[in-house]
Amino acid sequence: MARHPRTNLILAVVATTPALAVRLSGSSADVSAVVRSLLYGVAIVGASLLLTWAAEVAQVDLSPGVAIGALALVAVLPEYVVGAVFAWRGGHQFQMFGPVCQSPAAVAAGHDSPCSLALANMMGANRLLIGIGWSLVVLVAWWRTRTTRGRLLHGVVLERPHAVELSFLALATLWCLTLPLRHTVSLVDTCVLLAVFGGYAVRLLGAPATEPDLEGVAAWIGARPPARRRSAALAMIGFAAVIVFLCASTFADALVEAGHSWGVGDYFLVQWVAPLASEAPELIIAAMYAWRLRASVGLGALVSSKVNQWTLLVGSLPIFFAIASSSLHGLPLGLSQREELGLTAAQSVFGVAVLGNLEVSTAEAIALFGLFISEFVLSVALPGPDRGRVRLMFTTVYLVAGTVILLVKRRDTAALLRDGLHTPHRHLHQPRH
C-alpha cells in the first residue's frame, strides 16, 4: 500500500467506485458473473478498510461501553449483511418448502439452500479469523523479530485486560458447542448469545478511558481537530455502509452464479471467498501491527473481533429467519451444517485453550495454521462423502488438543476467567501476584 495515509484513504474509496457504478447503472446483467464477483469483492475490501479505520478513530471520542456496542456492529457489518440476506431468503423458502428451504428442482440440481449459505458465511468468517488471523500475527512478528533483531520470538503475549474478551469468548464458545446437537439455530440461541455480548459490553463499561493506539490512516485522522475528526469518521462509516448494503448481497449472488459457471459449489464460495474479502482489511492491519513489532495490539483486535462474530453475527441470523418465515421454527440445520458448526466451535475451544495463559507461542501459531490449512485442503480435495469424516476427525483433534492444553494451563486459565469476569478493571493493569 502507498505510504501516505491520505493516499491509502483515497485508494480505498476508489476501490469501491467500479462496483458502485455497475450497481447503480443497472448494467449488472451485461457484466459476467466472474467480473461482477471481482468488482463487488474489491468494493467490499475497500468498504471494510474504511469501516476499520473509522472504528479505530471513533475510539478517541467514545467511552469504552458505547464504543464496544457501536464498533462491534460496524466490524461485522459485511458478514452481517450477507448472512442476513441469506437468512431472510431462507425464511421465505421455509414458508414454501419447509425445512429443506428450497424447491425440489433446486435440490435435484444440487444447489445449496439459502439457510445453509447463511451459516456458511458465518462459519467461514469465524474459522478464518483464528486459523489465518491469529497465526498470521504471531508468524509475521516471529519473522520480523528474526530479521531485524537477530533473535527468535517465542510467542506473542496479550496484556492482562484482554482476559475480558477471552472470558466472554469462552462463554460464547461453550454455548455454541451445543448447536451441533440440535436441528435448528433458534431464537433461544439468539437470546443467549446476545446476553453474552451484553455482559461483555457491561463488563467493559467499567474500563478506564485509555488513549487508543492508532496507526496509519486512523492515526492521521485521529490527530485532526475534534469536529473534523468526528465528521471524517461519520462520513467514512456512512459511505462504507452504503457500499456494503448495495454490494454485499450482490457480491454473494455473483459468487453463486459464478460458481455455477465454474462448476464450483455455492457453499464453498460463500463460506470462504465472501468472508475473505470482508476479513482481508482487518487481517492486513493486524499483520501490519505485527510487522511493526506491536503484535499484541493486532492479536488483541482479532480476539475482540472473534467475540463479536460468535455473539452478534451468530445471534442475528435466527432473527431475520423468524421474521421472514413468520415462524419460531429456527434456522434449519442439516447434517453437514451441524458438522461444520461442530468443527467451528471445536476450533474456537482450541483457540481459547491456546490463549489460556494470554500467550500464543510460535509452535501454537503453527498448529493453528497447520490444522486449518490441512482441514481446508482435505475438504476441497476429497469427494463429498469423505468430507464429513474429515470434519469429524478435525473436530476431534481440536477438542482433544484443546482439552489437553486446558489441563496443562489450568491454573492460568482459571486466573484468566477470574480476571475476565470478576477482577476490577483498576487491578487488570497491574501484574498478577
Side-chain angles (χ1 to χ4, degrees), residues 225-237:
R228 291 177 60 188
R229 179 178 65 238
R230 293 164 188 162
S231 298
L234 288 173
M236 290 163 66
I237 291 174

Side-chain angles (χ1 to χ4, degrees), residues 43 61 65 70 83 91 105 134 152 156 184 221 238 240 244 248 253 279 319 348 361 365 401:
D61 297 300
W134 292 14
L152 295 180
V156 173
T184 63
I221 296 176
V244 168
D253 289 336
E279 293 291 343
I319 297 175
S348 187
S361 70

Side-chain angles (χ1 to χ4, degrees), residues 144-324:
R144 185 65 169 162
T145 303
R146 179 176 176 270
T147 55
T148 61
R149 298 184 178 178
R151 60 181 176 84
L152 295 180
L153 179 76
H154 298 293
V156 173
V157 180
L158 291 177
E159 295 179 354
R160 194 178 171 192
H162 285 294
V164 175
E165 285 99 327
L166 286 165
S167 297
F168 283 93
L169 175 58
L171 293 178
T173 298
L174 282 175
W175 183 261
C176 288
L177 276 172
T178 70
L179 295 181
L181 306 178
R182 288 174 266 134
H183 292 276
T184 63
V185 181
S186 70
L187 291 173
V188 173
D189 301 306
T190 295
C191 293
V192 172
L193 292 172
L194 294 187
V196 171
F197 179 78
Y200 174 45
V202 169
R203 180 76 170 104
L204 289 180
L205 279 173
T210 57
E211 190 69 24
D213 199 2
L214 305 180
E215 289 275 356
V217 173
W220 178 64
I221 296 176
R224 305 298 100 190
R228 291 177 60 188
R229 179 178 65 238
R230 293 164 188 162
S231 298
L234 288 173
M236 290 163 66
I237 291 174
F239 179 77
V242 169
I243 296 298
V244 168
F245 281 111
L246 286 177
C247 297
S249 60
T250 50
F251 173 48
D253 289 336
L255 279 178
V256 170
E257 188 179 339
H260 294 167
S261 64
W262 292 338
V264 179
D266 311 348
Y267 196 93
F268 174 84
L269 292 170
V270 174
Q271 182 175 31
W272 298 118
V273 180
L276 184 60
S278 57
E279 293 291 343
E282 192 171 19
L283 298 181
I284 291 170
I285 289 173
M288 288 172 62
Y289 275 115
W291 186 257
R292 293 166 181 160
L293 301 180
R294 301 170 66 197
S296 61
V297 177
L299 182 59
L302 294 182
V303 170
S304 179
S305 182
K306 173 66 178 176
V307 179
N308 301 336
Q309 289 189 357
W310 239 171
T311 54
L312 284 181
L313 185 57
V314 179
S316 69
L317 297 180
I319 297 175
F320 292 101
F321 180 85
I323 295 172

Side-chain angles (χ1 to χ4, degrees), residues 24-108:
L24 295 179
S25 67
S27 59
S28 295
D30 301 324
V31 182
S32 71
V34 175
V35 174
R36 276 185 283 126
S37 298
L38 290 173
L39 292 180
Y40 291 135
V42 170
I44 293 298
V45 171
S48 297
L49 272 172
L50 294 173
L51 287 172
T52 301
W53 291 328
E56 291 179 341
V57 171
Q59 296 176 69
V60 177
D61 297 300
L62 295 178
S63 65
V66 175
I68 189 60
L71 304 186
L73 181 60
V74 167
V76 300
L77 188 59
E79 294 97 333
Y80 187 91
V81 172
V82 172
V85 167
F86 281 124
W88 186 268
R89 292 175 183 173
H92 287 297
Q93 295 287 314
F94 178 84
Q95 278 189 317
M96 295 185 287
F97 305 112
V100 295
C101 292
Q102 59 181 338
S103 67
V107 173

